[in-house]
Amino acid sequence: MKVAIGKITEQGLKLDEKIPAALLNLDGFDLKFVDYLTVEAVFNKIYSEITSKVDIRAHCQITCSRCLIEVGQIKKYGFQKSYQLNKLGDFLDINDQIREEILLNFSLKVLCSPDCQGLCPCCGRNLNWGECNCLKSGN
Ligand SMILES: [Zn+2]
Ligand SMILES: [Zn+2]
């Protein structure tokens, strides 16, 4: 998302934009971003500062680290940042901040759901689909 500094006033400037996920090059090993990131941003000019408040919604395809199933998830990110007006050129490009924010919030383990039961260590059955006989027999 790139905004012309001249358009940001004391009254604020609200923008929303869809950014192709591929453009930000974010894919991790077990987490892939698909389609678009929806970015909503509010910019304000306060004296010699530009402030930004940014909300991001992303569609991801994750591979659960417990049960190894692939599921789609929506992830939300947000940040606020201010910039010194005299250090900015004619445009403010926040794509780097968006990318940084998402990478900072990468979790080591991605789960299909917080209470994922994982796989049975004996037979490999996905326990989210029900118990297997190994557990019932007490082994
Ligand atoms: Zn899982
Ligand atoms: Zn089992």
Side-chain angles (χ1 to χ4, degrees), residues 56-72:
I56 306 152
R57 257 165 58 101
H59 292 257
C60 303
Q61 193 72 30
I62 65 135
T63 306
C64 177
S65 2
R66 258 183 223 156
C67 70
L68 308 178
I69 212 167
E70 268 198 37
V71 290

Side-chain angles (χ1 to χ4, degrees), residues 1 3-4 8 12-13 20 25 27 31 37 40 67 71 83 88 91-92 95 99 109-110 121 127 130 132:
M1 176 182 276
V3 50
I8 304 172
L13 176 70
N25 184 28
D27 288 354
L31 185 142
L37 275 70
E40 279 183 16
C67 70
V71 290
Y83 307 84
L88 295 170
F91 291 92
L92 171 59
N95 281 4
R99 184 165 193 276
K109 281 189 183 244
V110 289
L127 299 174
C132 56

Side-chain angles (χ1 to χ4, degrees), residues 120-125 127 132-135:
C120 170
C122 316
C123 69
R125 183 184 162 89
L127 299 174
C132 56
N133 290 321
C134 320
L135 289 178

Side-chain angles (χ1 to χ4, degrees), residues 111-135:
L111 298 175
C112 62
S113 84
D115 55 357
C116 171
Q117 302 297 306
L119 301 176
C120 170
C122 316
C123 69
R125 183 184 162 89
N126 185 333
L127 299 174
N128 297 314
W129 303 341
E131 280 185 7
C132 56
N133 290 321
C134 320
L135 289 178

Side-chain angles (χ1 to χ4, degrees), residues 13-15 18 23 30 41 45 59 69 76 78 92 97 120 132-133:
L13 176 70
K14 199 167 177 226
L15 290 176
K18 286 189 190 308
L23 193 78
D30 43 14
K45 190 164 126 183
H59 292 257
I69 212 167
K76 290 181 182 176
L92 171 59
Q97 263 83 49
C120 170
C132 56
N133 290 321

Side-chain angles (χ1 to χ4, degrees), residues 31-45:
L31 185 142
K32 297 207 178 348
F33 287 80
V34 290
D35 299 334
Y36 292 91
L37 275 70
T38 308
V39 180
E40 279 183 16
V42 181
F43 299 93
N44 271 289
K45 190 164 126 183

